[in-house]
Amino acid sequence: MADLNKLHDAILYGDQKTAVAITEEALAEKIDPQKLIHEAMIPAMNEAGKKFECEEFFVPELLLAARAMKGALKLIQPLLAASGAEPIGTVVIGTVKGDLHDIGKNLVASMLEGAGFRVVDLGADVPADRFIEAVEKEKPNLVCMSALLTVTMPAMKTTIEALNQAGVRGKVKVMVGGAPVTPEYAAEIGADGYADNASTAVAKARELIAA
Ligand code: B1M
């Protein structure tokens, strides 16, 4: 039987090959992908963050952990994204300017796809003008911004201001999220919604487009 502790450690210590092999084994055994994400994969990334804080890990170790996580997630994402239904709305999503963290954003994007949204993923380190271009071109119902660094959170505010200045803010709802973001901060910068994880992001997205 697939060992979730081993999956956790493989991600934490950047062993992509083992992480992918255990994920394959777990999926073949029909273990719920959400269980893999929440009980092994996200805790491993959180622990990598703790080790980074106490200088046991440095950037190369974080990169290896991220590579292992992404390898395993690649197998899971199609399962999260499979919906087959007509799109219920369009979402433009990206990690804000200056921020390279894209794992959480990718999870949110896959869950939104799985919930029936058409998702236009702009990637990471996305400046405000690319969000504006995407809003004009893709005509989304919702713009989603992710930030993982306290120093990049203000780019969410700048992007909302830029959407305003470009005259497109009224055409879309805006949702923000990412580990350092709070509901209070979301309200303060004029976002319409906030979610703290990929599942609540789906519920919030549904609520925002229904409003
Ligand atoms: Co960085 N990093 N990192 N890092 N990194 C953090 C974020 C940090 C908390 C680590 C720590 O010190 N404990 C810290 C930030 C501290 C702070 O700002 N207060 C940090 C730092 C300091 C840095 C650098 C500055 C380090 C350096 O160079 N000295 C640097 C900055 C680079 C940059 O962005 N410009 C850096 C670099 C990196 C790597 C590139 C090496 C790598 C990222 C690789 C990648 O993403 N492709 C990395 C990693 C892996 C992490 C940690 C360890 C893990 C992040 C992760 O993937 N988590 C992280 C520590 C941690 O998070 N505990 C850390 C798993 C992921 C599933 O969770 O992204 O939170 P998360 O997403 C969640 C929710 O937040 C939410 O749903 C997701 C799923 O549940 N969510 C949303 C996310 N977006 C949402 C949007 C929504 C709604 C919900 O609506 C729109």
Side-chain angles (χ1 to χ4, degrees):
M1 197 180 143
D3 184 338
L4 298 202
N5 289 327
K6 274 197 184 149
L7 175 58
H8 172 278
D9 287 356
I11 290 176
L12 176 60
Y13 296 108
D15 179 354
Q16 189 191 41
K17 206 169 149 204
T18 304
V20 167
I22 300 174
T23 305
E24 272 169 349
E25 194 185 340
L27 294 177
E29 288 166 7
K30 305 264 178 271
I31 297 180
D32 182 357
Q34 296 287 355
K35 187 176 162 81
L36 301 181
I37 292 173
H38 292 287
E39 290 181 21
M41 299 167 77
I42 290 181
M45 296 307 281
N46 285 340
E47 193 163 340
K50 282 188 197 136
K51 286 184 182 291
F52 179 74
E53 266 171 46
C54 63
E55 298 188 347
E56 199 180 319
F57 273 15
F58 296 91
V59 172
E61 284 86 0
L62 289 191
L63 277 171
L64 287 174
R67 197 179 65 125
M69 172 90 173
K70 282 188 165 190
L73 266 184
K74 220 174 178 178
L75 301 172
I76 292 179
Q77 271 168 334
L79 305 175
L80 302 179
S83 111
E86 276 294 297
I88 56 172
T90 296
V91 177
V92 162
I93 189 167
T95 305
V96 292
K97 186 171 165 29
D99 201 321
L100 303 175
H101 298 86
D102 64 354
I103 294 174
K105 181 270 297 166
N106 293 345
L107 262 179
V108 173
S110 299
M111 293 279 287
L112 287 169
E113 265 181 351
F117 287 90
R118 180 172 81 94
V119 176
V120 180
D121 188 347
L122 304 180
D125 191 15
V126 181
D129 56 355
R130 283 200 45 228
F131 277 105
I132 293 168
E133 269 168 37
V135 167
E136 286 166 345
K137 181 163 172 249
E138 307 289 347
K139 313 257 179 293
N141 311 80
L142 183 63
V143 169
C144 283
M145 286 185 267
S146 177
L148 261 283
L149 297 172
T150 42
V151 289
T152 57
M153 280 167 59
M156 295 177 150
K157 183 169 187 263
T158 317
T159 304
I160 292 176
E161 283 165 2
L163 290 170
N164 248 323
Q165 272 166 16
V168 295
R169 173 68 182 93
K171 296 180 182 168
V172 289
K173 300 283 184 187
V174 174
M175 174 161 68
V176 294
V181 183
T182 62
E184 292 74 25
Y185 184 71
E188 186 189 314
I189 63 172
D192 301 296
Y194 156 84
D196 68 347
N197 65 50
S199 306
T200 52
V202 168
K204 194 49 153 182
R206 286 203 183 103
E207 187 189 311
L208 288 173
I209 69 155

